[in-house]
Amino acid sequence: MYFSSIGTMGVKSGQRDAVISILTRSNPALADIGCLVYEVGGRDDDPNTVYVCEVWESEEAHAQSLELDSVKETIAEAMPLLTGDFGGYDFMVAGSPLRSE
Amino acid sequence: MYFSSIGTMGVKSGQRDAVISILTRSNPALADIGCLVYEVGGRDDDPNTVYVCEVWESEEAHAQSLELDSVKETIAEAMPLLTGDFGGYDFMVAGSPLRSE
């Protein structure tokens, strides 16, 4: 069952673009471990928040990705630029109108 | 620029599966108009909410989709099963670690 994780993270003033560039740095290991969608971005009316939309082959694939050195390094690099204010939610995917299941 | 729309919708008691089945009915017109990702699902601990995660080629593609007869029919069919409690947010995508941009 696919797993979708949606997140918002508060960033310190002026650091949004730096955080986005860290999170969007190419990382083929993510697809290798089962990441299907990983979109990062923001809103003009919310300059101190980075938004992330992820879809994984499974909840386990998502959990395993957090053990990858490359992901640990990405998180460690971005963390000092974050405020610690996290939001979002995750859910199990039941289906999609883009796939005839 | 890609556009991501994340949503939650409250469903009347016992109607989650019915709403999911309406929203996941195959609709090729969505991809034709620029829908890249459209995942629908739920959480075990939140039986009266349907979660949706969408990514579109552009904000315009998303807006145009709402004018499609097939989408209007889907919304009309699901609406009586919904509580009217909607949540979520949308954002402009800056990039992805799955794409080397």
Side-chain angles (χ1 to χ4, degrees), chain A residues 38 40 43 90 94 96 99, chain B residues 38-40 43 90 94 96 99:
Chain A
Y38 196 123
V40 183
R43 294 175 53 91
D90 50 54
S96 168
R99 295 187 297 272
Chain B
Y38 196 122
E39 305 293 348
V40 183
R43 295 175 53 92
D90 50 54
S96 168
R99 295 185 296 273

Side-chain angles (χ1 to χ4, degrees), chain A residues 2 4 6-8 20 23-28 30-31 35-43 51-55 87-101, chain B residues 2 4 6-8 20 23-28 30-31 35-43 51-55 87-101:
Chain A
Y2 287 175
S4 180
I6 315 299
T8 60
I20 286 176
L23 297 181
T24 55
R25 206 174 293 143
S26 179
N27 183 359
L30 292 175
C35 184
L36 302 168
V37 175
Y38 196 123
E39 304 293 347
V40 183
R43 294 175 53 91
Y51 292 72
V52 180
C53 161
E54 304 170 26
V55 178
Y89 37 77
D90 50 54
F91 64 92
M92 300 309 296
V93 171
S96 168
L98 301 182
R99 295 187 297 272
S100 37
E101 266 145 330
Chain B
Y2 287 175
S4 181
I6 315 299
T8 60
I20 287 176
L23 295 181
T24 55
R25 206 175 292 144
S26 178
N27 183 359
L30 292 174
C35 184
L36 302 168
V37 175
Y38 196 122
E39 305 293 348
V40 183
R43 295 175 53 92
Y51 292 72
V52 180
C53 161
E54 305 170 26
V55 179
Y89 36 78
D90 50 54
F91 63 93
M92 300 308 297
V93 172
S96 168
L98 302 183
R99 295 185 296 273
S100 37
E101 261 140 336

